[in-house]
Amino acid sequence: MNLQTRSQHACFGGRMGFYAHAAQATGTEMRFAVYEPPQASARKLPALYYLAGLTCNEETFVIKAGAQRLAADMGLVLVACDTSPRGLNLPGDADAWDFGVGAGFYLDATAQPWAGHYRMSRYLNEELPALVEANFPVRSDRRGIFGHSMGGHGALVNALRNPQRWHSVSAFAPIANPVAVPWGEKAFSNYLGSDRQQWEAWDASLLMRARPYPGLMLVDQGLSDQFIDNQLHPQALQAAADASGQKLELRLHEGYDHSYWFIQSFIADHLRHHAAILGS
Amino acid sequence: MNLQTRSQHACFGGRMGFYAHAAQATGTEMRFAVYEPPQASARKLPALYYLAGLTCNEETFVIKAGAQRLAADMGLVLVACDTSPRGLNLPGDADAWDFGVGAGFYLDATAQPWAGHYRMSRYLNEELPALVEANFPVRSDRRGIFGHSMGGHGALVNALRNPQRWHSVSAFAPIANPVAVPWGEKAFSNYLGSDRQQWEAWDASLLMRARPYPGLMLVDQGLSDQFIDNQLHPQALQAAADASGQKLELRLHEGYDHSYWFIQSFIADHLRHHAAILGS
């Protein structure tokens, strides 16, 4: 497997790095970021994968969330991937900020022209961990996943679909019931086609009702989030947990919005949640 | 005094805000950012001003340094200003990344066409603190200043010139002897004219030799900083401190570069340095 190092920087006694590789799942170059805490020089550590939201890329989380200080304390490797393939110039892939480039929704598209390239779920579940585990000091038996907004959806859905691959999961302000909101309807109708039954396989609330995740889910949501009513629907997740017996800690925070100011305020609780399950 | 709120966000139980006002010192709109920790709802707190480096603006520090978590713990208000006036379209002000827009060097220009507008020192020492102290819960008798690169130069120089205004000071990778390096020569010859004697009033190492700052200076410098030999010259600052009796803690860090990955790694020590002097 090829791996191109774009840059590396000393950070909290460890290493912040930016990488690229030719990805089979997407047929494009994909970029990702890895923070290796100081403990990584001595032994293999658990890896925690972060999925960013609409318009973001592999840099967003590592620049804005203030997570490295905590990961260095806790002995967690952080991995952040991009939000979609880039550079394909498929028709319509750059017309909107909530679809196409920067908006891959962490699923595997089945409709044309997206099916051959927008396979972010395959990328995230198989190709990226294989690459990371072959090239960085991380354990393959201890993986966590979390994310924000579209990336919160991605974290919940991929953990629910592949609980054997993701040993811990959490989310900030996830799109919790995408089949019922405009962002999800737009993405799913294009990526998956018009048969709404196909969409259910990528909806956290619906997946959870059918088969809960075998562990505690931590979800934080700001009550001043401008997208809470139209796009996020945390109450659907709570209802699904109530119906299915899913262990869910859904925390609603007065005054917090959808931004990384919100994420950084609660990132420590998320890293502790993952570290408690994954070890360090 | 006018004050326009551009946005505010809950952050670590306090408030991250972005503001603009019509500045007299520059004759332009100036933008700045203020982080108010939770303690600010109960009492006035010390304010710590941050000056960013070349190409940066009032957002850079508050997004990249991870300081809010610590400021919320310590009870410090953080203030970040812009690096120059903007929108003037003076001849040549946008031709280079190291001069003009984004590169005001925190001095008061005396040469045309800059003299009427590039008065960042007056802005920083007088107008901005007056505005902040009139509109935010901060003490006017407890101000700290710090910065990075060009902003490290700005922090050291303005503290040395106005020790009664700045009760604590520190810097990351400052341009420590600007009269002797290309960035400084370019800026000073344009902003201050060809008389090199005028430049000495804006050079931290030369100012310190004439009149040390009445307190400990903390300076961090990475030894893998790509600018250390050509532009920063920390050894000039150490020599000036040795000659003048300045109390200087200059820490050299193996492996660290010029980036905010470096800054965030040591930001806690800087906030603790300021909090120890300023109280909280």
Side-chain angles (χ1 to χ4, degrees):
Chain A
M1 292 205 222
N2 65 84
L3 177 66
Q4 178 204 337
T5 299
R6 298 181 57 236
S7 73
Q8 291 180 324
H9 313 268
C11 186
F12 289 108
R15 183 161 62 184
M16 186 67 239
F18 296 90
Y19 306 93
H21 68 121
Q24 288 194 322
T26 62
T28 65
E29 177 188 274
M30 290 294 289
R31 293 181 176 186
F32 64 99
V34 177
Y35 176 65
E36 298 170 70
Q39 299 88 332
S41 63
R43 66 182 194 277
K44 289 191 176 191
L45 300 172
L48 178 55
Y49 289 69
Y50 181 87
L51 310 183
L54 293 166
T55 78
C56 294
N57 61 31
E58 79 284 0
E59 295 185 348
T60 311
F61 170 74
V62 297
I63 290 176
K64 293 187 168 183
Q68 289 87 346
R69 169 185 305 283
L70 306 156
D73 280 347
M74 297 182 199
L76 289 173
V77 169
L78 303 174
V79 182
C81 67
D82 204 349
T83 52
S84 76
R86 295 179 190 269
L88 291 163
N89 298 313
L90 299 178
D93 72 1
D95 293 349
W97 62 274
D98 57 1
F99 179 75
V101 174
F105 276 79
Y106 305 104
L107 50 70
D108 292 330
T110 52
Q112 294 303 334
W114 317 103
H117 299 288
Y118 277 67
R119 293 189 288 207
M120 288 296 290
S121 181
R122 182 185 304 190
Y123 175 71
L124 174 67
N125 283 281
E126 298 171 23
E127 190 169 1
L128 183 60
L131 182 73
V132 167
E133 288 155 19
N135 289 279
F136 297 87
V138 299
R139 296 175 61 162
S140 58
D141 60 343
R142 287 288 183 271
R143 290 185 211 109
I145 190 167
F146 70 150
H148 172 234
S149 195
M150 175 183 75
H153 143 77
L156 298 180
V157 160
N158 282 287
L160 284 157
R161 289 171 60 97
N162 305 283
Q164 78 291 357
R165 290 186 177 278
W166 302 106
H167 308 102
S168 59
V169 61
S170 71
F172 295 96
I175 306 172
N177 189 199
V179 304
V181 303
W183 280 341
E185 290 176 345
K186 181 175 184 176
F188 289 3
S189 62
N190 281 282
Y191 291 137
L192 304 172
S194 57
D195 176 4
R196 295 178 72 103
Q197 206 170 345
Q198 302 301 314
W199 303 6
E200 297 176 7
W202 300 99
D203 181 293
S205 295
L206 299 178
L207 286 167
M208 186 190 288
R209 282 177 184 269
R211 192 176 63 164
Y213 177 80
L216 175 65
M217 281 187 174
L218 170 64
V219 176
D220 277 320
Q221 174 65 56
L223 289 174
S224 293
D225 187 320
Q226 58 269 45
F227 300 113
I228 188 170
D229 291 331
N230 285 338
Q231 304 282 9
L232 304 178
H233 288 201
Q235 70 280 7
L237 202 67
Q238 185 65 62
D242 293 344
S244 67
Q246 171 72 53
K247 285 190 285 183
L248 170 67
E249 185 175 0
L250 172 62
R251 310 191 305 181
L252 305 175
H253 300 282
E254 197 81 43
Y256 285 86
D257 63 22
H258 200 64
S259 68
Y260 276 79
W261 311 114
F262 157 63
I263 293 174
Q264 67 178 253
S265 299
F266 299 102
I267 189 77
D269 293 340
H270 285 247
L271 296 200
R272 278 190 286 264
H273 166 78
H274 290 275
I277 298 168
L278 301 176
S280 65
Chain B
M1 292 208 222
N2 65 84
L3 177 66
Q4 178 205 336
T5 299
R6 299 181 58 236
S7 73
Q8 292 180 324
H9 313 269
C11 185
F12 290 107
R15 182 162 62 185
M16 185 67 240
F18 296 90
Y19 307 94
H21 69 122
Q24 289 193 319
T26 62
T28 63
E29 176 187 275
M30 289 294 290
R31 294 182 174 186
F32 63 99
V34 177
Y35 177 66
E36 299 171 70
Q39 299 90 333
S41 62
R43 66 182 196 278
K44 291 192 175 188
L45 300 173
L48 178 55
Y49 289 69
Y50 181 88
L51 310 183
L54 293 166
T55 76
C56 295
N57 62 29
E58 79 284 0
E59 295 185 349
T60 312
F61 170 74
V62 297
I63 290 176
K64 292 188 172 184
Q68 290 88 344
R69 168 186 306 282
L70 305 156
D73 280 347
M74 297 183 200
L76 290 172
V77 170
L78 303 174
V79 182
C81 66
D82 204 349
T83 52
S84 76
R86 295 180 191 268
L88 291 162
N89 297 313
L90 299 178
D93 73 0
D95 293 349
W97 63 273
D98 58 0
F99 179 74
V101 174
F105 275 80
Y106 305 104
L107 50 71
D108 291 331
T110 53
Q112 294 304 332
W114 317 102
H117 299 288
Y118 277 66
R119 293 189 290 208
M120 288 296 291
S121 181
R122 183 185 303 189
Y123 175 71
L124 175 67
N125 283 280
E126 298 171 23
E127 190 168 1
L128 183 60
L131 182 74
V132 166
E133 287 155 21
N135 289 280
F136 297 86
V138 300
R139 298 176 59 164
S140 58
D141 61 342
R142 287 289 183 270
R143 288 184 212 108
I145 190 167
F146 69 151
H148 172 233
S149 194
M150 175 183 76
H153 142 79
L156 297 180
V157 159
N158 282 286
L160 283 159
R161 289 170 58 98
N162 306 282
Q164 77 291 354
R165 291 188 177 277
W166 301 106
H167 308 101
S168 58
V169 61
S170 71
F172 295 96
I175 306 173
N177 190 197
V179 303
V181 303
W183 281 341
E185 291 177 345
K186 181 176 186 177
F188 288 4
S189 62
N190 280 282
Y191 291 137
L192 304 173
S194 57
D195 177 3
R196 295 179 72 103
Q197 205 170 345
Q198 302 300 314
W199 302 6
E200 297 176 5
W202 301 100
D203 181 292
S205 295
L206 298 177
L207 287 167
M208 185 189 287
R209 283 177 182 268
R211 193 176 63 165
Y213 177 80
L216 174 66
M217 281 186 174
L218 171 63
V219 177
D220 278 321
Q221 173 66 57
L223 290 174
S224 294
D225 187 321
Q226 58 269 46
F227 299 114
I228 189 170
D229 291 331
N230 286 338
Q231 304 283 9
L232 304 178
H233 288 200
Q235 71 280 9
L237 202 68
Q238 185 64 64
D242 292 343
S244 68
Q246 171 72 56
K247 285 190 285 183
L248 171 67
E249 187 176 358
L250 172 61
R251 309 191 305 180
L252 305 174
H253 301 281
E254 197 80 43
Y256 285 86
D257 62 23
H258 199 64
S259 68
Y260 276 78
W261 310 114
F262 158 63
I263 293 174
Q264 69 176 251
S265 299
F266 299 101
I267 189 75
D269 293 339
H270 285 247
L271 296 199
R272 280 191 285 263
H273 166 78
H274 290 275
I277 297 168
L278 301 175
S280 65

